Amino acid sequence: MGINDFNKELVKAKTASYRLLKVRTRSEQELRLRLKQKKFSSRIISVVIKEFKRIGLINDIDFAKNWVRSRINKGFGKRRIILELRQKGISPNIIEKQACDIEKNYSPASMIHELTQQRIKRYTSLERSVAQRRIYGFLLRRGFSMDAVLKEIKAL
């Protein structure tokens, strides 16, 4: 690969990266995988990632903070959020820090209660045990702890 070919490839990779980041912020791993899927060489990908980290377009700490905030606002629990961060390639120490922040700034009990009240309206025609089972499954899939969910279900 000549220097001109390398530069052309680099420009294409940067353009693809800008497009991906225009849609939403991404973790370093997400961007790496997407560029790899687009058949860019690992050398090109490394150069792009290094450049984007240097100028602040990729920052896993900021990405994790924003991801946690958006997922909490959408009614997801701590377990689900942590799983998603792992899937996005966020390092364990960043995840641990975000998990501590979630515990400090977030009340899962009130979120569970709110989601349960929204769901119960949908299930008025169902038998009580069926409605409870559906709500229980829904809340577990959302990433809330079994104990917290059971406490809310028993209160129904």
Side-chain angles (χ1 to χ4, degrees):
M1 181 184 283
I3 208 110
N4 272 348
D5 292 338
F6 182 82
N7 286 338
K8 285 179 185 176
E9 188 80 3
L10 186 59
V11 169
K12 284 182 184 178
K14 283 183 178 182
T15 302
S17 298
Y18 284 125
R19 280 195 191 116
L20 289 168
L21 293 170
K22 185 177 173 184
V23 175
R24 71 168 174 84
T25 59
R26 307 210 180 240
S27 68
E28 179 181 338
Q29 179 183 309
E30 282 183 300
L31 191 57
R32 270 186 200 285
L33 290 173
R34 293 298 299 267
L35 291 175
K36 190 178 269 188
Q37 287 172 351
K38 293 179 181 289
K39 308 288 190 227
F40 290 108
S41 71
S42 56
R43 184 172 166 216
I44 293 284
I45 293 171
S46 294
V47 170
V48 170
I49 295 293
K50 188 175 182 180
E51 171 78 11
F52 278 34
K53 284 174 89 171
R54 185 182 63 76
I55 61 176
L57 288 175
I58 298 175
N59 183 329
D60 280 354
I61 295 172
D62 290 343
F63 173 83
K65 285 178 185 175
N66 291 332
W67 189 262
V68 167
R69 189 178 321 110
S70 79
R71 300 311 270 175
I72 286 173
N73 289 339
K74 290 183 179 179
F76 288 95
K78 178 182 166 187
R79 296 168 103 176
R80 169 93 177 253
I81 295 169
I82 289 171
L83 173 69
E84 290 174 347
L85 288 173
R86 278 191 199 119
Q87 290 171 340
K88 300 209 173 290
I90 302 300
S91 71
N93 57 343
I94 294 173
I95 291 174
E96 189 175 313
K97 170 81 172 87
Q98 291 307 309
C100 290
D101 289 349
I102 290 171
E103 289 171 2
K104 288 178 193 170
N105 305 319
Y106 164 71
S107 167
S110 63
M111 179 68 70
I112 290 170
H113 182 72
E114 187 179 318
L115 290 169
T116 300
Q117 294 309 308
Q118 291 172 6
R119 283 284 158 151
I120 202 92
K121 292 174 187 171
R122 293 183 182 183
Y123 302 143
T124 54
S125 64
L126 295 176
E127 213 176 289
R128 182 185 168 146
S129 63
V130 173
Q132 286 177 324
R133 193 171 57 243
R134 287 187 182 180
I135 292 169
Y136 175 78
F138 168 74
L139 292 170
L140 287 181
R141 286 188 301 277
R142 282 283 175 139
F144 295 102
S145 73
M146 192 180 301
D147 292 339
V149 172
L150 282 174
K151 199 179 290 182
E152 181 66 27
I153 295 296
K154 286 178 183 176
L156 282 180

